[in-house]
Amino acid sequence: MNRRYRKTVIAGNWKMNKTPAEAKALINEIKETVGKVKWCDVIVCVPYVDIPAAVKACKGAKISVGAQNIHFEPKGAYTGEISADMLKELGVKYVIVGHSERRQYFAETDETVNKKVHTVLEAGMQPIVCVGESLQQREQGVTASVIETQVRIALNGVAKEQMRKIIIAYEPIWAIGTGKTATSEQAAEVCTGIREIIRSLYGARVARSVSIQYGGSMNAKNAAELLAQNDIDGGLIGGASLKAPDFAAIINAANQ
Ligand code: PEP
């Protein structure tokens, strides 16, 4: 974390978990468990149908609601899809774009990720752009080039002024939902590399202002060490965000 230049952002990715009633109960539990949130932004990225209940439950608390996906077209014959206007009208402030599960199971590509980034920005919301290498790519020694390609294509056409709305989440695929966390050195190395890419594209001032999260089995035990790294400005948290005490412990670690 480096609060002098950028925000610390803790975001829960609930994936396909919790009904609207369960969402309300979990948010209320998080509110009761967490201490005063002063130094970081807290987001819960809930399933689409939970959004109204989540927005209502978050009212008055320093917790924002995010979505887990979006369609890049504004409207039309895209059965089953959800547009930016629909999300915005419900009070959504953030949208996860390019999560590895969407890339893996729903054929998202760097190009669709880029289109979605533009859609989210144009609607006045903030994208949380996910990048990350597979285990095979790490073992082949191509992590840096894979991440560079993903970041460069995701940000293609994004203007300098729009960069203050971008959050990047470095999520090594082998660490997501596996209980295998990247070491703080591994995570920091890639996050520093991402900042370097942003610097080469937009200059030093923009680079130091962008929040870069780590995601991949972050939990109540390992959060403090990961967040202590200068270039890790928060976390995107799956499993542990579904348990109020664990999520609250991560928020409290970011709040130190
Ligand atoms: C995620 O879904 O983005 C994630 C990091 O999941 P987990 O924390 O469960 O590894």
Side-chain angles (χ1 to χ4, degrees):
M1 296 184 285
N2 186 335
R3 289 209 196 95
R4 193 159 159 220
Y5 294 118
R6 47 194 180 258
K7 284 184 172 171
T8 304
V9 186
I10 299 296
N13 173 17
W14 289 9
K15 312 194 188 197
M16 196 174 70
N17 292 292
K18 307 290 176 190
T19 66
E22 289 167 346
K24 178 180 168 192
L26 178 54
I27 289 166
N28 285 337
E29 204 188 336
I30 292 167
K31 289 197 299 195
E32 280 161 24
T33 321
V34 81
K36 200 162 188 254
V37 181
K38 218 172 155 192
W39 299 111
C40 67
D41 289 355
V42 179
I43 307 161
V44 285
C45 298
V46 303
Y48 288 137
V49 295
D50 293 353
I51 290 171
V55 168
K56 200 167 165 202
C58 287
K59 235 181 210 130
K62 282 177 106 181
I63 306 176
S64 301
V65 175
Q68 300 171 16
N69 186 30
I70 191 166
H71 196 275
F72 48 79
E73 292 293 347
K75 62 166 80 163
Y78 302 101
T79 303
E81 292 294 326
I82 298 289
S83 75
D85 282 353
M86 295 170 188
L87 295 177
K88 216 173 160 206
E89 194 172 310
L90 291 182
V92 167
K93 301 272 188 270
Y94 299 84
V95 183
I96 297 175
V97 175
H99 191 280
S100 63
E101 288 154 14
R102 299 233 34 109
R103 294 179 190 250
Q104 189 180 348
Y105 305 130
F106 302 97
E108 291 213 6
T109 63
D110 289 335
E111 286 69 27
T112 58
V113 168
N114 177 246
K115 285 186 185 180
K116 291 180 180 197
V117 166
H118 284 284
T119 301
V120 174
L121 289 172
E122 276 152 28
M125 298 181 287
Q126 292 193 240
I128 300 175
V129 186
C130 300
V131 296
E133 82 288 2
S134 67
L135 183 58
Q136 193 187 31
Q137 289 165 331
R138 177 159 282 269
E139 286 171 354
Q140 288 168 341
V142 296
T143 298
S145 64
V146 168
I147 300 294
E148 175 154 13
T149 303
Q150 291 177 346
V151 171
R152 281 180 178 273
I153 299 177
L155 298 180
N156 192 21
V158 173
K160 201 170 182 173
E161 318 77 68
Q162 292 177 304
M163 282 303 291
R164 66 197 166 81
K165 295 283 183 194
I166 296 259
I167 297 167
I168 307 237
Y170 166 54
E171 297 212 301
I173 297 167
W174 48 272
I176 297 178
T178 58
K180 249 194 246 169
T181 319
T183 63
S184 49
E185 291 78 19
Q186 286 172 323
E189 186 187 16
V190 178
C191 290
T192 302
I194 292 171
R195 201 173 304 287
E196 204 44 59
I197 298 161
I198 298 170
R199 183 175 294 125
S200 74
L201 292 169
Y202 298 99
R205 260 180 96 158
V206 170
R208 73 177 182 219
S209 70
V210 173
S211 300
I212 303 175
Q213 300 173 312
Y214 165 78
S217 300
M218 190 185 263
N219 58 39
K221 285 207 180 93
N222 59 30
E225 192 189 330
L226 287 157
L227 295 171
Q229 308 303 310
N230 186 56
D231 281 315
I232 301 181
D233 308 307
L236 181 55
I237 298 121
S241 72
L242 295 169
K243 295 176 215 126
D246 293 28
F247 193 53
I250 297 170
I251 295 167
N252 291 339
N255 218 8
Q256 295 310 306

